[in-house]
Amino acid sequence: MATFSVGDVELAVTDVGVGRPVLLVHGFPLDRRLWNPQIDALVAAGSRAIAPDLRGYGRSSFGKCDASDGVGMHQYADDLAGLLDVMSVAERVVFVGFSMGGYIAWEFFDRYRDKLAGMVLCDTRAAADSPEAAANRMKMANHVDTWGSRHVAELLIPKLFASDTIRHRPELVESVREMITQSPTAAIAAAQRGMARRTDFSDRLAEFDLPVLAIGGEHDAISPPDEMQRMAAAMPDAKFTRIAGAGHMAPIENRAAVNAAIVDFVAKLS
């Protein structure tokens, strides 16, 4: 792990391998450890894997942001662009965004198109929250200091995994529970407020004129695969891969299929 100063934050980053840089952006409320299976596969295939902790998560600092104001998806995108500059990554990257990382990907494209070779959108959506979903996010943001991160984990776990994973693979569930429990409540509140007011990109998908791979678990209840397939169909150069046996946590529930899809996508770009 290395740490880089980017604006008002210190961002912790795993940076291994050589070749095409692949920027792996975790979701809410996790950290860069989510990507360990993909890091190994990408490095073995001849790519450079760059996996940061977003501000406030893992070993990255929260910076000067106020949790009561939230952190917008554009701020995370700015952090990542700044990180690539500080790391002197001049080659265009493949941006791999999981869940909230996908929301950040839309903003990254909008602001830093010239830094991108392609995007992988994993278990995510282009649409903004419904009023009900936004209200639920704000409820968590307003109460998480009282609830604590462990309670957040217990609320989220049933939604994150396929039912078979919960029944038969407790070690995967526990690894995610640990990540969520270790996430500071300020980071959780800030991200929820940011996601509640994020931009709706569903009417702008035709603008995403670079190669895109969309990946979704077949049992994902948060970003349903049929919705992801329609999202991919609306982009000029995108394809959708449905991941068997997985819920929302496809990168760890079926790592072999996700790894194969990402490695193949990156290889074809190269």
Side-chain angles (χ1 to χ4, degrees):
M1 185 199 79
T3 303
F4 296 90
S5 295
V6 180
D8 65 324
V9 290
E10 297 289 321
L11 296 181
V13 185
T14 296
D15 178 18
V16 290
V18 294
R20 168 77 74 181
V22 180
L23 181 64
L24 298 153
V25 183
H26 66 80
F28 166 87
L30 308 169
D31 60 49
R32 73 185 191 282
R33 289 175 291 174
L34 168 76
W35 297 114
N36 285 346
Q38 285 70 48
I39 290 170
D40 292 342
L42 284 163
V43 171
S47 294
R48 178 183 180 184
I50 303 170
D53 287 327
L54 294 171
R55 68 164 62 217
Y57 290 98
R59 298 192 180 183
S60 291
S61 67
F62 188 59
K64 298 177 182 178
C65 291
D66 184 343
S68 64
D69 290 334
V71 176
M73 302 301 103
H74 64 281
Q75 179 62 67
Y76 293 122
D78 289 347
D79 291 345
L80 294 171
L83 175 65
L84 294 175
D85 289 342
V86 168
M87 294 176 67
S88 300
V89 179
E91 186 177 356
R92 294 189 179 200
V93 304
V94 180
F95 190 115
V96 182
F98 167 76
S99 197
M100 184 178 79
Y103 307 155
I104 298 167
W106 304 120
E107 293 287 352
F108 196 95
F109 176 95
D110 210 29
R111 291 166 175 255
Y112 305 105
R113 170 68 177 82
D114 61 335
K115 292 183 180 292
L116 291 171
M119 297 197 310
V120 179
L121 303 169
C122 186
D123 295 279
T124 192
R125 310 178 68 197
D129 280 345
S130 67
E132 180 183 4
N136 287 336
R137 290 194 192 279
M138 294 304 296
K139 179 180 178 181
M140 180 179 289
N142 292 336
H143 293 283
V144 67
D145 280 341
T146 301
W147 292 351
S149 301
R150 179 166 290 278
H151 182 65
V152 172
E154 299 311 316
L155 290 175
L156 293 180
I157 289 292
K159 304 174 184 178
L160 294 178
F161 291 98
S163 57
D164 280 353
T165 303
I166 292 175
R167 285 195 298 267
H168 302 301
R169 303 175 73 187
E171 73 285 355
L172 294 186
V173 176
E174 186 55 37
S175 69
V176 171
R177 180 182 284 111
E178 178 185 2
M179 273 190 271
I180 297 173
T181 300
Q182 292 176 357
S183 294
T185 56
I188 291 172
Q192 285 286 49
R193 292 188 172 104
M195 286 188 286
R197 64 172 187 260
R198 71 184 186 275
T199 300
D200 190 325
F201 280 91
S202 56
D203 290 334
R204 296 183 52 192
L205 294 174
E207 299 174 21
F208 288 79
D209 58 344
L210 78 174
V212 175
L213 170 66
I215 298 173
E218 67 170 333
H219 304 300
D220 189 345
I222 297 175
S223 25
D226 289 348
E227 179 180 340
M228 288 201 70
Q229 188 165 21
R230 291 192 297 272
M231 180 183 79
M235 290 184 275
D237 186 14
K239 72 170 187 176
F240 172 70
T241 298
R242 191 180 300 250
I243 304 299
H248 191 63
M249 300 298 300
I252 64 172
E253 288 183 89
N254 191 343
R255 61 185 64 189
V258 170
N259 290 354
I262 295 176
V263 166
D264 180 67
F265 179 74
V266 173
K268 288 177 178 177
L269 288 178
S270 299

